[in-house]
């Protein structure tokens, strides 16, 4: 199959919008989408320091690699943060991959672990519990990333969320009927104590991210987290993949529909004022942040 733009051999077919792309045009299109996403939300400004959350998986590898390329001629500093949740037989490999990509690009990498920060590995936190491990993992990882990004003096915190993640999150909140949480998912204005998060890959489908890593020689095979199948997200992911293959463009339209809805709801749902956690001083809604609340729970169970 030929590329839709040149005589080169196509390495991917984008069913939506119906294009065949050779390696060069695929990489160019990928980086253009990331650049457009950065430009559209004025995500990165000159002289800023961007902390990039790098797990060592394909999404964060593609994120660090593409930002390093796209921002090469701008006065922007990149620094990488890796959080080791403490998941036996899984995280060790991805941390190696995180070290490798940061080393290859000459970007400073800071590694923090749940054990050092909170006194427990994730495996220990969730042992024998019915609650989905992702709930604990998500709360502590967000907490750790925000704290660390502040410690490093970062202006923004970039994460590797892709189009599939975004569509899944919107759909999960629809399914739960959780409108409040859905509205919290909008891009937010700056809040004291909270490093603004940016998602430069939010317009790129997951399967293109793996291909981008492969053609740039930075793909490293990694196993799926052993807890991934225990979450609602895993079922929603399968459902969205099935719908996408039947109706190409479903993921994009799910995210677009959500954006239209939030634009209409503008003003009706004011952004919540955050307080400081009385334990750790991180931003929170109640008196204790979710991480300190869960830590209290874990101490009581000991
Ligand atoms: Fe954490 Fe869940 Fe992701 Fe595993 S799948 S790394 S437990 S959020």
């Amino acid at each position: 199959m030929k590329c839709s733009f040149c005589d080169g051999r196509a390495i991917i077919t984008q069913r939506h919008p119906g294009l065949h792309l050779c390696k060069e045009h695929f990489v160019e299109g990928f980086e253009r989408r990331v650049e457009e996403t950065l430009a559209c939300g004025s995500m990165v400004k000159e002289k800023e320091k961007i902390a990039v959350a790098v797990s060592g998986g394909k999404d964060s590898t593609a994120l660090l690699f593409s930002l390093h390329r796209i921002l090469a001629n701008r006065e922007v500093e990149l620094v990488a943060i890796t959080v080791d949740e403490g998941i036996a037989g899984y995280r060790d490999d991805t941390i190696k991959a995180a070290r490798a990509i940061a080393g290859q690009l000459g970007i400073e990498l800071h590694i923090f672990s749940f054990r050092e920060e909170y006194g427990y590995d994730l495996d220990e936190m969730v042992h024998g519990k019915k609650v989905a491990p992702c709930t604990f993992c998500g709360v502590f990882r967000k907490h750790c990333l925000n704290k660390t990004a502040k410690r490093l003096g970062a202006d923004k915190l970039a994460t590797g969320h892709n189009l599939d993640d975004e569509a899944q999150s919107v759909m999960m909140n629809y399914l739960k009927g959780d409108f409040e949480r859905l509205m919290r998912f909008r891009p937010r204005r700056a809040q004291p104590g909270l490093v603004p998060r940016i998602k430069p890959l939010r317009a790129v489908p997951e399967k293109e991210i793996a291909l981008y890593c492969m053609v740039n020689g930075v793909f490293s095979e990694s196993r799926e987290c052993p807890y991934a199948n225990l979450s609602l997200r895993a079922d929603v992911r399968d459902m969205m993949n099935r719908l996408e293959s039947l109706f190409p463009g479903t993921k994009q339209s799910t995210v677009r529909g959500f954006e239209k809805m939030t634009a209409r709801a503008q003003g009706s749902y004011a952004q919540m004022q955050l307080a400081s956690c009385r334990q750790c001083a991180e931003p929170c809604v109640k008196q204790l942040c979710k991480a300190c609340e869960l830590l209290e729970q874990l101490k009581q169970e000991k």
Side-chain angles (χ1 to χ4, degrees), residues 112-182:
F112 297 86
S113 71
F114 277 12
R115 172 156 292 282
E116 282 160 12
E117 297 287 320
Y118 306 110
Y120 307 87
D121 289 332
L122 182 68
D123 287 340
E124 245 178 300
M125 289 180 183
V126 301
H127 182 73
K129 290 198 180 62
K130 285 208 174 110
V131 59
C134 296
T135 308
F136 277 77
C137 187
V139 167
F140 287 108
R141 198 175 35 198
K142 267 190 206 145
H143 189 263
C144 186
L145 284 172
N146 191 59
K147 254 187 357 180
T148 310
K150 273 193 290 190
R151 237 183 262 163
L152 296 173
D155 299 289
K156 304 271 167 58
L157 172 63
T159 61
H161 292 92
N162 57 44
L163 176 66
D164 294 49
D165 298 323
E166 296 291 275
Q168 286 158 19
S169 297
V170 169
M171 188 53 70
M172 277 164 68
N173 287 316
Y174 283 155
L175 293 175
K176 288 181 188 163
D178 195 341
F179 197 66
E180 295 287 338
R181 189 179 279 271
L182 189 64

Side-chain angles (χ1 to χ4, degrees), residues 85 87 91 122 133-134 137 141 225 227-228:
E85 301 92 344
I87 304 173
R91 202 35 106 206
L122 182 68
C134 296
C137 187
R141 198 175 35 198
C225 171
Y227 297 126

Side-chain angles (χ1 to χ4, degrees), residues 12 14 16-17 19 21 25-40 43 66 70 163 199-206 208-209 212 252:
I12 184 172
Q14 292 175 335
H16 181 78
L19 292 174
L21 299 176
H25 282 108
F26 165 68
V27 170
E28 191 187 300
F30 184 104
E31 291 174 0
R32 193 176 48 243
R33 262 177 298 170
V34 178
E35 267 190 279
E36 281 167 5
T37 305
L38 290 176
C40 167
M43 286 184 181
S66 58
I70 291 166
L163 176 66
K199 300 175 190 172
L201 301 185
R202 67 189 301 265
V204 184
E206 186 176 303
E208 294 190 25
I209 289 177
Y212 180 77
Q252 246 176 44

Side-chain angles (χ1 to χ4, degrees), residues 13-18 163 207 240-254 256:
T13 296
Q14 292 175 335
R15 287 180 68 199
H16 181 78
L163 176 66
K207 71 169 190 177
M240 296 300 290
N241 284 343
R242 209 170 46 248
L243 288 173
E244 181 71 33
S245 80
L246 291 171
F247 310 105
T250 297
K251 291 172 190 172
Q252 246 176 44
S253 55
T254 303
R256 241 194 344 254

Side-chain angles (χ1 to χ4, degrees), residues 1 7 19 24 88 116 118 135 138 167 216 257-258 296:
M1 184 85 68
D7 286 339
L19 292 174
E24 284 69 29
E116 282 160 12
Y118 306 110
T135 308
N216 285 300
F258 163 70
E296 288 289 318

